[in-house]
C-alpha cells in the first residue's frame, strides 16, 4: 500500500489544532504565578465543564478504545471488563477518596503517603506509580504508531516520535491547563470520529448480521475462569483509583464536593464512551476478513486482533470517513499520553526532588524540575514504544503493582492513619511485591514461582485470584506490623533507640502532638509567621485526618476547608509523618528534615 498523502495531511492538521489549543490554554495561567498549584493543578480553578471532560479522559484513551474493540472481537462482551471496571473506579474514588484528598489540600497522590510514612518511604512508593504512568504512555504511543501504519502506511517510528513531541510540547507550555483544555477537544474528536465510522462499517455488504449465532460477540465465562474473572474485575475497580492522573483532576477542582461530582459524572462518560468501540468490535466479529482488502493471515492472529479497530476503519469505511476515525484514535492517544507525562513529572518534582533532596527548593526551581521531568518522561515513553515489543505486558505488570502495593497503603493513610506507620508500610510493600511476582506474567514470558490452587498447566496461567490475595495480604501486613511495632516500643519490649524510623516512640523533638491548635498558633499561621509548612499534615486534628472536618478550622462552614487550604498555600513541603497519636504539626522554624525511611 502506497503512502496515503491525504491521510497524512489530515493528521498534521489535527496535530496543529491540538498544539494550538494546548498553547492557548497554557496562556490562561496567571501571569507571573509559577506556584505548584498553578502549574500542576491549574490553580485549583478547573471549571465544571472542562473538569468533566478532563476527568473522563482519565481513562478514555488510546488503550481504552483499542483495547475495548479487541476484547469484544477476541473474547466477547462479558470479558470486556474495562468500561465497567474503570467507571466503578471513578465512582468509588469519588465516594471514598476525592472529598478527603481535595479537602486536605494535597498537591499529589503521594502527599498523604509521605505525611504518614516519611519522604523516603514515599519515594519508594513512587516507583510503581512512575512505572505505571510511563509504561501506559509508551503502550498507547506504540498503539498509535501501529494504527497509522495500518491506515496511512506511515512509518511507525515517525508517527510515535511526532505524537510524543506534540504532547510533550503543549504540556511543557501550560501544565494542567493545556492538558485539561486539549482533553475537551480530544474527547469531542473521539466521540464524533468513532460514531461517524459505525454506520458506514455496519452497512458494508461484507459485514454479516450481528444477530447470527456464529458471530458470537457476547462471549461466555467458564466456571473455572470465574476466580480470575473476579480478580481482574477487582483489579480494574480498586487498582484504577491510586493513579496520579485521576488525583491530579481531583485536586485541581475548586472544592471537595465538586471533586466528587466530577468523579460521578466522569464515570457515566467513561461508560458511555465505550459504546462506539464495543460496536466496532462486534462489527469486526461479523466480518469475513479474507473477503476484504486485508491480505494478512486468516483467521486473525493475536497481533492482528490487537489492531482490530484501525482495521475496521481502513477496510470497512470510505477513505474520508477513516480519516475522521484516525483522528479519533490519535486524539485518544494524546489525551492519555499528555496526562501520564504530566503526572509522572509532577510526582517526581514534588515528592522525590523536593521532599527528599531539596526541601528548601523554591517554587520556580520545582517548576523547572517538573519541566525537565516532562521531557525525560516523554523521551522514556517514546524510546520504550519504539524498542520494547511487549509494552502491554510491562504496563499490565505495573498496573498490578499499583493495585497490590499502592491501593492498600492509600486506603489506610486516608481513612485509618493511626493504624499504619513506616514499619508496616515497608513490610507490606515487600510482601505485596513478592506475592505478585510469584504469580508470574505470561504476556512477558515471566514464569510463575508459585502455582496457586487451580493452576492451568496446559496454558501455564493462574486461575486463582492471586492479585487480590497479594493486595489483601499487603493490607493485613500493614495493619499487623504497625500494631506489632507499637506494642514492642510502647510496652518497652524494645528500647526507644531501636525505633530506627522514628515513628513510634523515638519521635524527633520538633514533632508535637496536637488535638486543637495551640494558643496563638492559628493567628501566627494567618499572618504567615509559620513560614514553610508541613504538607497536608499541618493543623490536622484526629477528626480531619479521618476524613471529617474540624469545624473550628472551616470558618465558612461550607465543608470545603477553604481557610485551611489558604493557610497552607504557598508551600506544602515537608517530609513528616502524621501517625503520632493526635496528629503532628511542625515547629514554627520550618519543615524538619525527614529522619525516617
Amino acid at each position: 500500500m502506497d503512502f496515503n498523502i491525504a491521510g497524512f495531511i489530515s493528521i498534521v492538521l489535527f496535530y496543529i489544532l491540538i498544539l494550538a489549543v494546548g498553547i492557548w490554554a497554557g496562556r490562561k495561567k496567571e501571569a507571573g504565578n509559577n506556584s505548584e498549584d498553578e502549574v500542576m493543578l491549574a490553580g485549583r480553578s478547573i471549571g465544571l465543564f472542562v473538569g468533566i471532560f478532563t476527568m473522563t479522559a482519565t481513562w478514555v484513551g488510546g488503550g481504552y478504545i483499542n483495547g475495548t474493540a479487541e476484547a469484544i472481537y477476541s473474547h466477547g462482551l462479558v470479558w470486556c471488563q474495562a468500561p465497567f471496571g474503570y467507571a466503578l473506579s471513578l465512582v468509588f474514588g469519588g465516594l471514598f477518596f476525592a472529598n478527603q484528598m481535595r479537602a486536605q489540600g494535597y498537591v499529589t497522590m503521594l502527599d498523604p503517603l509521605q505525611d504518614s510514612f516519611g519522604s523516603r518511604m514515599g519515594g519508594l512508593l513512587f516507583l510503581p506509580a512512575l512505572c505505571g504512568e510511563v509504561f501506559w504512555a509508551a503502550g498507547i504511543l506504540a498503539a498509535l504508531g501501529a494504527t497509522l501504519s495500518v491506515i496511512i502506511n506511515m512509518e511507525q517510528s515517525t508517527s510515535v516520535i511526532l505524537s510524543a513531541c506534540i504532547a510533550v510540547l503543549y504540556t511543557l507550555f501550560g501544565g494542567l491547563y493545556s492538558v485539561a483544555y486539549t482533553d475537551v477537544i480530544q474527547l469531542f474528536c473521539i466521540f464524533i470520529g468513532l460514531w461517524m465510522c459505525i454506520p458506514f462499517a455496519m452497512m458494508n455488504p461484507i459485514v454479516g448480521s450481528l444477530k447470527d449465532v456464529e458471530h458470537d460477540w457476547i462471549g461466555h465465562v467458564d466456571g473455572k475462569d470465574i476466580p480470575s474473572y473476579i480478580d481482574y474485575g477487582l483489579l480494574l475497580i480498586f487498582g484504577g483509583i491510586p493513579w496520579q492522573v485521576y488525583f491530579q483532576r481531583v485536586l485541581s477542582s475548586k472544592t471537595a464536593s465538586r471533586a466528587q461530582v466530577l468523579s460521578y459524572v466522569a464515570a457515566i462518560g467513561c461508560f458511555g464512551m465505550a459504546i462506539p468501540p464495543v460496536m466496532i468490535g462486534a462489527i469486526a466479529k461479523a466480518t469475513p476478513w479474507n473477503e476484504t482488502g486485508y491480505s494478512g493471515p486468516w483467521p486473525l492472529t493475536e497481533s492482528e486482533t490487537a489492531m482490530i479497530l484501525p482495521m475496521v476503519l481502513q477496510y470497512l469505511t470510505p477513505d474520508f470517513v477513516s480519516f475522521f476515525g484516525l483522528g479519533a484514535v490519535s486524539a485518544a492517544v494524546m489525551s492519555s499520553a499528555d496526562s501520564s507525562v504530566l503526572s509522572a513529572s509532577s510526582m517526581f518534582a514534588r515528592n522525590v526532588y523536593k521532599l527528599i533532596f531539596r526541601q528548601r527548593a523554591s517554587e520556580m526551581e520545582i517548576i523547572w524540575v517538573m519541566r525537565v521531568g516532562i521531557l525525560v518522561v516523554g523521551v522514556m515513553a517514546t524510546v520504550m514504544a519504539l524498542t520494547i515489543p511487549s509494552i502491554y505486558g510491562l504496563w499490565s505488570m505495573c498496573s498490578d503493582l499499583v493495585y497490590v502495593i499502592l491501593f492498600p497503603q492509600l486506603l489506610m493513610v486516608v481513612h485509618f492513619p493511626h493504624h499504619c506507620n513506616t514499619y508496616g508500610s515497608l513490610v507490606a510493600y515487600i510482601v505485596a511485591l513478592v506475592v505478585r511476582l510469584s504469580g508470574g506474567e505470561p504476556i512477558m514470558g515471566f514464569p510463575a514461582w508459585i502455582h496457586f490452587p487451580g493452576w492451568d498447566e496446559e496454558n501455564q496461567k493462574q486461575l486463582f485470584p492471586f492479585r487480590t490475595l497479594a493486595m489483601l495480604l499487603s493490607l493485613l501486613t500493614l495493619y499487623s506490623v504497625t500494631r506489632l511495632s507499637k506494642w514492642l516500643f510502647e510496652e518497652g519490649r524494645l528500647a526507644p533507640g531501636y525505633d530506627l524510623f522514628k515513628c513510634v516512640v523515638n519521635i524527633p523533638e520538633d514533632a508535637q502532638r496536637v488535638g486543637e491548635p495551640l494558643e496563638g498558633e492559628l493567628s501566627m499561621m494567618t499572618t504567615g509567621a509559620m513560614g514553610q509548612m508541613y504538607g497536608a499534615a499541618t493543623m490536622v486534628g484526629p477528626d480531619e485526618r479521618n476524613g471529617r472536618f474540624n469545624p473550628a478550622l472551616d470558618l465558612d462552614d461550607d465543608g470545603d476547608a477553604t481557610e485551611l487550604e489558604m493557610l497552607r498555600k504557598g508551600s506544602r513541603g515537608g517530609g513528616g509523618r502524621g501517625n503520632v497519636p493526635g496528629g503532628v504539626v511542625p515547629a514554627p522554624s520550618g519543615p524538619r528534615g525527614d529522619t525516617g525511611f
Side-chain angles (χ1 to χ4, degrees), residues 306-331:
M307 300 308 301
I308 201 67
L309 188 144
M311 286 172 60
V312 169
L313 301 181
Q314 171 66 14
Y315 299 112
L316 300 181
T317 65
D319 287 345
F320 77 94
V321 175
S322 68
F323 295 154
F324 279 98
L326 179 60
V329 175
S330 302

Side-chain angles (χ1 to χ4, degrees), residues 72-330:
I72 297 296
Y73 181 85
S74 302
H75 306 290
L77 181 63
V78 295
W79 280 99
C80 185
Q81 294 177 287
F84 301 96
Y86 287 143
L88 287 175
S89 77
L90 290 169
V91 172
F92 284 112
L95 279 173
F96 299 111
F97 293 92
N99 192 308
Q100 291 84 349
M101 294 283 284
R102 176 62 186 88
Q104 296 282 16
Y106 293 126
V107 178
T108 73
M109 175 189 71
L110 295 180
D111 283 356
L113 295 167
Q114 287 187 308
D115 275 353
S116 291
F117 304 140
S119 59
R120 289 175 177 81
M121 188 65 218
L124 191 60
L125 292 166
F126 165 71
L127 295 178
L130 170 68
C131 292
E133 300 287 4
V134 173
F135 289 131
W136 174 244
I140 56 181
L141 285 173
L144 176 64
T147 300
L148 295 181
S149 67
V150 168
I151 296 182
I152 63 176
N153 200 27
M154 185 178 188
E155 190 174 331
Q156 183 167 347
S157 59
T158 302
S159 62
V160 169
I161 293 173
L162 178 62
S163 304
C165 286
I166 297 296
V168 166
L169 189 59
Y170 69 69
T171 305
L172 199 63
F173 270 104
L176 188 59
Y177 279 111
S178 294
V179 171
Y181 280 84
T182 52
D183 279 345
V184 176
I185 302 297
Q186 289 156 351
L187 277 183
F188 268 120
C189 291
I190 296 170
F191 185 81
I192 296 173
L194 292 183
W195 275 112
M196 180 178 292
C197 294
I198 288 173
F200 287 94
M202 290 188 71
M203 291 186 294
N204 191 300
I206 297 177
V207 178
S209 173
L210 301 184
K211 297 180 181 180
D212 289 351
V213 177
E214 61 178 314
H215 304 146
D216 179 22
W217 58 275
I218 301 298
H220 66 281
V221 180
D222 293 333
K224 65 182 180 64
D225 292 324
I226 291 178
S228 61
Y229 186 86
I230 296 174
D231 196 26
Y232 278 113
L234 294 174
L235 166 66
L236 292 170
I237 295 171
F238 298 110
I241 294 174
W243 289 79
Q244 174 64 9
V245 287
Y246 168 65
F247 282 107
Q248 198 140 30
R249 273 80 174 164
V250 166
L251 300 173
S252 68
S253 300
K254 291 183 178 180
T255 64
S257 57
R258 177 172 289 186
Q260 285 187 295
V261 172
L262 293 183
S263 296
Y264 302 147
V265 177
I268 299 173
C270 181
F271 185 79
M273 292 295 290
I275 297 175
V278 164
M279 296 183 67
I280 288 175
I283 292 170
K285 189 70 174 179
T287 301
W289 288 98
N290 57 335
E291 298 179 18
T292 67
Y294 167 74
S295 57
W298 173 254
L300 301 182
T301 64
E302 186 175 342
S303 59
E304 274 71 42
T305 58
M307 300 308 301
I308 201 67
L309 188 144
M311 286 172 60
V312 169
L313 301 181
Q314 171 66 14
Y315 299 112
L316 300 181
T317 65
D319 287 345
F320 77 94
V321 175
S322 68
F323 295 154
F324 279 98
L326 179 60
V329 175
S330 302

Side-chain angles (χ1 to χ4, degrees), residues 546-589:
N546 284 284
R548 299 187 298 273
F549 288 110
N550 183 342
L553 297 179
D554 190 14
L555 305 182
D556 285 343
D557 196 28
D558 57 1
D560 293 321
T562 305
E563 291 75 18
L564 182 62
E565 182 180 318
M566 291 175 61
L567 297 178
R568 294 174 180 150
K569 194 164 185 175
S571 175
R572 293 174 174 81
R577 289 167 291 280
N579 49 20
V580 180
V584 177
V585 295
S589 58

Side-chain angles (χ1 to χ4, degrees), residues 528-549:
M530 288 292 288
Q532 192 176 28
M533 290 188 288
Y534 185 82
T538 307
M539 291 303 300
V540 177
D543 286 341
E544 189 183 354
R545 292 289 294 177
N546 284 284
R548 299 187 298 273
F549 288 110

Side-chain angles (χ1 to χ4, degrees), residues 433-435 437-440 446-451 462:
L433 183 64
V434 170
V435 175
L437 293 180
S438 69
F446 190 69
W449 307 340
I450 300 176
H451 293 174
Q462 306 280 3

